[in-house]
Amino acid sequence: MFQEKRLRQPLAVEEAMGQQALALLALLDQACRAVDDLTDRATAAFLAHPHAPVHLSFPGCGPLIGARLLAEIGDDPSRFATAKGLRAHSGAAPLTWASGSTS
């Protein structure tokens, strides 16, 4: 089975394709290192923020999700007067739609 003839590219083409695969793997490795670096920097910046302990106290919230929450909500404590306002901003507040007339 493994000794059957199969279609092949010329040797120079196969070597070029191998070099291309290695170059693509190097790019992927570089992208992975950049993501790891960004994760470390975002985590360090978030943990240095004074509101980090509050966000980290939320169940299931780690440093990256906490950083995203901080970025979305902001760090102005007076931005939302009530929890209802924050829920409405996030889209988590329930909406009641009534059909028909209101009279």
Side-chain angles (χ1 to χ4, degrees):
M1 176 170 147
F2 290 115
Q3 295 181 0
E4 292 180 16
K5 291 191 175 196
R6 59 195 180 278
L7 295 175
R8 300 214 38 179
Q9 296 286 342
L11 184 58
V13 172
E14 286 185 355
E15 288 178 7
M17 292 172 74
Q19 291 300 315
Q20 181 184 20
L22 290 174
L24 290 173
L25 287 173
L27 287 174
L28 179 61
D29 188 47
Q30 182 182 5
C32 290
R33 282 195 309 269
V35 167
D36 291 341
D37 184 49
L38 181 60
T39 299
D40 294 341
R41 289 173 186 253
T43 298
F46 171 69
L47 293 176
H49 194 277
H51 293 173
V54 174
H55 291 286
L56 291 174
S57 70
F58 302 154
C61 184
L64 288 179
I65 299 224
R68 186 166 184 176
L69 283 172
L70 183 62
E72 291 288 333
I73 296 171
D75 63 352
D76 180 11
S78 63
R79 181 173 180 196
F80 302 103
T82 64
K84 186 176 181 179
L86 177 58
R87 281 196 317 267
H89 173 74
S90 69
L95 296 174
T96 304
W97 293 92
S99 61
S101 64
T102 59
S103 55

